[in-house]
Amino acid sequence: MAPVYETVSKSEAFSSYRPVRQTSSNLISHVNPSTPVRRRARCSRIILHWISHILSLLWIAPIATLLWLNFSHHVIGASAWCPNGNCNAEGNSENAIERANKLDRQDHNVNGALQFVAKALEVWFMFVATSLVYDMGIMFAKKGRGLPVGYLLTHLEFGDIRYIVNPLLWTSPLPRSQGVPEKRSRIIKLYIFACITAMLTILANLMGPAAAVLVLPTLQWVDTPRIMHETFNQTAVAQRPDGEDLFPGCSAEQLRDGNYSCTSDTYGPSLDQWASHNTASSRQFAQHDDGTIILGASQESALAFTINGSASYDTVWIPSRQVLRNMSHNFQKLRGAYVESDPPEYPDREFNNSLQTILQRQGPSLGFHAAFYIGNASDYGLSDGRWVRCFTGWTPGSIFWTDTQEEYTKCFRLVSVKDRETYGKFSLGNFNDADDENSTQSGVGVFVADRAAFYNEREDFGSGLIDCLIKNNPDGTGEACDWDNIFATEWPADFRNRSIDVGVTSYSVPGENYTDARVWCEHVIFQSLPTYSVDTSPRSNMQNLVMLNNLPEIQTDTIPLRMNPAWLLAAWSVDYDGELDGERQIVKELNRVLPVTYSVGLITLEGIEFALLHFYALGQALSMVNYYSSAPPSSPSSAPTNQDRILLTYATIHVWAYGISGRTSILGVAVVGLGAICVLARFLIGLSTGVQERSTVEVLAAAFEHRHQGEFEGLEEERHLAKVRYQVVEDGEGKQRFLPETRTARWSNAVSL
């Protein structure tokens, strides 16, 4: 028969460790007169206890510093090693490459050193986490029925990530036998201990990478403080060009009289330059299988610009020359900051402490939808002096033409062909046949129509145009032609913003047989407030090219702006009803490609060249449109009704910096944040329990001194042995002792689980 054991009390258990018996009432509290050695040992444990807590709390200091650096987006400079903020990149100096290599070596050295810092923080946290697990284990071991054997060395094992899948971690809280009573609350508390331990295991293994994410700076694009420079009021696109200082070489009187040839000295060469570039690029496109057409650039003050497209390329956007003139001053100032001597006339030294600087300025920009067609023109004079001009060959679509869509005739309503607010015209000089009296010239007509209408032989969308122009009154007169009702028709959604305030440029084809022949282009104008961006480094942006960012996508129901055709005359540098010099490059190119485009079609090399020439002319006109602004408010909150019209200027610098810029950074913050909570929890547990950590040697000594009382009899499997519980207490001499769990009934070694 298996032996049967009686339960033993704490006093009986302690008697096995001491030559002198003591009662249970004074085992814990009684302390014999201590020898100097014991006093010193106790004092040492107390001192080490508080040193341990101080070291734990100090871990929060570097973590708080890292969190501050990252949340404040602290900028270091052009190098990760930038003492006193002085690491001049010297991007314009003769030794720029040598300087860049030096900064690169410093970056590698500093980042390598910071890896060791991250490892040190990880090891430091392991010390804290180990102490926390030990304190919690002792806290559980001192109360109730004690701590399972499987948890006695948890503080030494939890650092291994495999510990969270150790079955003993999750089975030790359970009762050893179904017949042994156990409070559910006690089991729940032990499982809480197991879950906290598992969480600390994961946290300890993540602490190294998390600390590295926060310790190591990264190369980032950082915005400088944004300065309000003006408030946008409106653009002058619907008005005729006016003002004494609007264009160099043009007086206000010349502009009022329509003598726009005054812009030829400054902007005539710009348009001709675009025309020359267009020819050169199209030749490269035609001669090489992998060739492409590259858009040309134009200059304004210290900056250059080109045609910009939206994400879908349905809208073409043009920078404002007025914005570029204002931006040039800031650009030159920042460009000057990239000098080795750092002279006092360029006080923006902070920009020299960066690898690259992008100047950003918000401002207005005009864009357009445009399409090109080949057809014939016809005019209808109305009784009230208004005109209707119709063109054949129109197809719905985007800025690109197509030969597969159904064709319509499109009619435009004009106030009068003599009204300079809506109509303008000029002719192209004939360079090749300038002395031929019988030669004919290409005429260019530009106008804006407040409304447009569409029809073909089978569809007029209910406007009545078929009855007006086909069935009854081909001359456009009579009762069937109620033009007011025709132009008031509600058009389909994809026609809508192409039927209001539409601009048209028509090119007549030279020759006696082409009286009504036209290559004509329509456009609608839109407005936006994008961000103008220019790289200030001469090494990466030698042409000082400006780009537009944050461009909107124009929807089909967006109402366009009305553009005064006088801006197109100013762009061509031609007087109203004047003639362009045939020796100008833009005229030569148009005279070359226009007849071929009309005869062969738009989808030819000459058709592409013609389309780009018109794009450049229209872009030139939109870039010259001025705008009106006022002083910015003292603060954005003081102008709540027009905050979207407050224009800002700032710079985006490429620097080494700290910041929360991604998911890994957020995870790093979460991990170190939980680590800080663990530090505070350990400190509070230490204050409330006064647990003094014992060394592994002391624990082993207490285990060796323990007298077996039958608690392991009949238990062979590890999972059963791990469930045996012990209380951990101190005897009268301050030594650690193990007490088996207290029982109220006998138990045998025949354990059935």
Side-chain angles (χ1 to χ4, degrees):
M1 181 176 177
V4 177
Y5 298 95
E6 299 287 343
T7 58
V8 292
S9 65
K10 293 181 181 180
S11 59
E12 292 171 331
F14 274 146
S15 65
S16 63
Y17 298 113
R18 294 180 50 78
V20 181
R21 286 182 78 84
Q22 296 188 18
T23 63
S24 60
S25 62
N26 66 0
L27 278 172
I28 305 300
S29 60
H30 176 72
V31 179
N32 288 335
S34 301
T35 64
V37 174
R38 291 174 183 169
R39 287 198 302 269
R40 286 196 298 272
R42 188 173 183 84
C43 290
S44 297
R45 283 198 300 271
I46 294 174
I47 293 173
L48 291 176
H49 170 75
W50 286 107
I51 290 177
S52 172
H53 280 294
I54 292 173
L55 288 176
S56 298
L57 289 174
L58 286 177
W59 184 83
I60 296 180
I63 295 302
T65 302
L66 290 177
L67 291 176
W68 174 80
L69 289 173
N70 282 275
F71 278 104
S72 64
H73 299 280
H74 176 71
V75 175
I76 302 173
S79 171
W81 174 249
C82 200
N84 301 320
N86 183 18
C87 49
N88 194 326
E90 300 177 6
N92 272 5
S93 63
E94 296 179 355
N95 61 342
I97 297 178
E98 179 183 351
R99 178 65 174 172
N101 290 334
K102 179 181 178 181
L103 294 178
D104 187 61
R105 289 193 299 270
Q106 291 179 353
D107 297 339
H108 282 287
N109 291 334
V110 170
N111 286 329
L114 291 177
Q115 292 278 8
F116 288 98
V117 174
K119 186 63 179 178
L121 290 173
E122 178 189 9
V123 173
W124 195 349
F125 178 76
M126 281 297 301
F127 163 78
V128 176
T130 302
S131 300
L132 176 59
V133 174
Y134 179 86
D135 291 350
M136 289 192 302
I138 295 300
M139 182 177 66
F140 280 99
K142 283 186 174 183
K143 297 179 180 180
R145 300 177 62 182
L147 194 70
V149 171
Y151 288 167
L152 288 177
L153 297 179
T154 299
H155 64 291
L156 300 179
E157 299 176 308
F158 84 100
D160 188 345
I161 191 64
R162 295 174 296 177
Y163 186 67
I164 61 176
V165 296
N166 187 346
L168 298 183
L169 178 65
W170 307 108
T171 60
S172 295
L174 298 173
R176 286 180 296 165
S177 172
Q178 295 179 355
V180 178
E182 182 70 55
K183 290 183 179 181
R184 181 176 297 180
S185 61
R186 180 64 181 170
I187 297 176
I188 293 176
K189 290 179 181 179
L190 289 176
Y191 269 115
I192 291 175
F193 173 76
C195 291
I196 294 176
T197 302
M199 184 269 291
L200 286 172
T201 299
I202 298 173
L203 201 61
N205 283 274
L206 290 178
M207 189 56 67
V213 168
L214 299 180
V215 165
L216 295 174
T218 57
L219 274 174
Q220 301 179 26
W221 289 100
V222 179
D223 290 344
T224 61
R226 305 191 175 202
I227 302 172
M228 298 181 293
H229 62 85
E230 59 185 343
T231 300
F232 173 73
N233 294 331
Q234 66 177 4
T235 180
V237 67
Q239 308 167 14
R240 296 171 62 187
D242 190 19
E244 194 68 36
D245 300 321
L246 183 59
F247 303 130
C250 293
S251 65
E253 183 179 1
Q254 287 176 305
L255 297 179
R256 284 193 295 268
D257 293 340
N259 297 327
Y260 302 116
S261 60
C262 62
T263 65
S264 60
D265 286 345
T266 302
Y267 295 120
S270 296
L271 188 57
D272 290 338
Q273 179 188 14
W274 258 329
S276 297
H277 174 88
N278 185 52
T279 303
S281 184
S282 63
R283 293 297 181 272
Q284 293 291 325
F285 172 70
Q287 295 297 326
H288 302 283
D289 294 337
D290 55 352
T292 187
I293 293 179
I294 299 176
L295 297 176
S298 182
Q299 181 176 347
E300 183 67 30
S301 190
L303 299 174
F305 70 95
T306 188
I307 295 173
N308 288 251
S310 60
S312 63
Y313 293 99
D314 278 343
T315 311
V316 176
W317 296 95
I318 306 297
S320 165
R321 291 182 182 269
Q322 182 178 346
V323 174
L324 297 180
R325 288 192 293 270
N326 296 334
M327 196 176 183
S328 292
H329 173 73
N330 301 103
F331 172 80
Q332 293 287 54
K333 189 177 180 182
L334 292 184
R335 173 67 67 85
Y338 283 92
V339 291
E340 183 176 3
S341 59
D342 200 19
E345 58 265 28
Y346 297 117
D348 298 282
R349 195 167 181 267
E350 60 182 291
F351 300 109
N352 204 2
N353 193 16
S354 65
L355 295 173
Q356 195 173 5
T357 299
I358 306 296
L359 176 61
Q360 313 267 21
R361 185 184 181 99
Q362 293 177 336
S365 171
L366 295 175
F368 60 87
H369 286 175
F372 307 85
Y373 311 99
I374 297 174
N376 294 320
S378 55
D379 292 342
Y380 303 97
L382 307 186
S383 58
D384 58 359
R386 292 180 298 173
W387 283 73
V388 174
R389 176 162 292 180
C390 297
F391 294 92
T392 61
W394 184 85
T395 57
S398 64
I399 62 174
F400 300 105
W401 54 87
T402 173
D403 290 340
T404 61
Q405 292 179 319
E406 186 176 7
E407 288 191 358
Y408 292 82
T409 296
K410 189 169 184 178
C411 297
F412 303 90
R413 182 170 66 185
L414 289 75
V415 175
S416 171
V417 294
K418 297 181 179 180
D419 182 7
R420 293 191 178 187
E421 296 296 328
T422 60
Y423 186 86
K425 62 177 181 176
F426 60 93
S427 61
L428 304 178
N430 194 329
F431 175 75
N432 293 325
D433 301 319
D435 298 329
D436 186 355
E437 296 180 355
N438 297 321
S439 65
T440 58
Q441 296 176 314
S442 297
V444 181
V446 293
F447 64 87
V448 60
D450 64 336
R451 298 287 291 185
F454 318 84
Y455 79 96
N456 58 20
E457 292 183 354
R458 66 177 189 84
E459 177 67 72
D460 64 2
F461 306 100
S463 65
L465 268 171
I466 292 179
D467 290 336
C468 170
L469 296 179
I470 296 180
K471 294 183 178 180
N472 299 324
N473 302 88
D475 61 352
T477 62
E479 295 180 358
C481 293
D482 188 348
W483 289 102
D484 289 332
N485 288 331
I486 289 173
F487 286 111
T489 302
E490 187 68 23
W491 305 105
D494 55 343
F495 286 26
R496 197 162 299 150
N497 66 5
R498 304 180 67 180
S499 63
I500 301 174
D501 292 330
V502 183
V504 176
T505 303
S506 65
Y507 298 84
S508 64
V509 181
E512 294 181 357
N513 298 325
Y514 300 107
T515 305
D516 298 325
R518 298 289 188 275
V519 178
W520 63 283
C521 319
E522 68 169 357
H523 60 264
V524 285
I525 307 300
F526 303 97
Q527 177 183 285
S528 67
L529 293 174
T531 301
Y532 291 65
S533 301
V534 57
D535 182 358
T536 59
S537 172
R539 296 186 177 274
S540 54
N541 187 18
M542 184 66 72
Q543 289 188 320
N544 303 347
L545 189 64
V546 174
M547 302 301 292
L548 298 180
N549 297 320
N550 305 321
L551 292 169
E553 290 292 337
I554 300 300
Q555 306 301 320
T556 56
D557 58 351
T558 303
I559 303 301
L561 301 178
R562 176 178 296 189
M563 179 181 181
N564 193 301
W567 291 104
L568 281 165
L569 300 181
W572 287 90
S573 301
V574 62
D575 296 336
Y576 184 86
D577 205 11
E579 178 181 328
L580 274 177
D581 188 349
E583 294 189 3
R584 284 190 55 181
Q585 190 65 32
I586 185 70
V587 177
K588 293 179 184 179
E589 296 303 319
L590 280 174
N591 283 331
R592 177 177 63 85
V593 301
L594 188 57
V596 180
T597 300
Y598 181 82
S599 301
V600 182
L602 287 162
I603 308 180
T604 60
L605 178 62
E606 287 77 10
I608 295 174
E609 289 183 88
F610 167 78
L612 287 174
L613 287 171
H614 180 75
F615 265 30
Y616 289 135
L618 184 55
Q620 171 94 315
L622 295 182
S623 72
M624 296 168 68
V625 176
N626 63 307
Y627 66 92
Y628 304 104
S629 63
S630 57
S634 56
S635 64
S637 59
S638 62
T641 59
N642 62 343
Q643 288 191 15
D644 58 334
R645 290 177 171 260
I646 299 175
L647 306 181
L648 306 175
T649 298
Y650 58 98
T652 302
I653 55 178
H654 199 205
V655 290
W656 287 91
Y658 290 95
I660 309 299
S661 57
R663 293 185 179 92
T664 55
S665 300
I666 295 174
L667 178 61
V669 170
V671 170
V672 300
L674 290 174
I677 293 175
C678 293
V679 171
L680 296 176
R682 196 251 163 162
F683 180 73
L684 294 176
I685 291 174
L687 287 180
S688 60
T689 62
V691 175
Q692 298 175 10
E693 189 170 344
R694 301 297 182 123
S695 67
T696 305
V697 173
E698 291 180 285
V699 175
L700 290 175
F704 289 146
E705 289 181 347
H706 174 67
R707 177 182 294 179
H708 175 42
Q709 299 177 17
E711 57 267 25
F712 293 105
E713 289 294 337
L715 304 179
E716 297 181 358
E717 296 185 28
E718 184 183 28
R719 64 190 179 95
H720 296 155
L721 294 172
K723 295 177 181 180
V724 176
R725 300 184 186 180
Y726 282 94
Q727 281 188 318
V728 179
V729 296
E730 291 185 2
D731 64 8
E733 297 178 352
K735 292 184 177 181
Q736 194 173 57
R737 301 300 184 191
F738 294 104
L739 290 181
E741 57 183 331
T742 304
R743 283 165 173 64
T744 59
R746 294 180 179 183
W747 58 280
S748 70
N749 68 340
V751 180
S752 61
L753 294 178

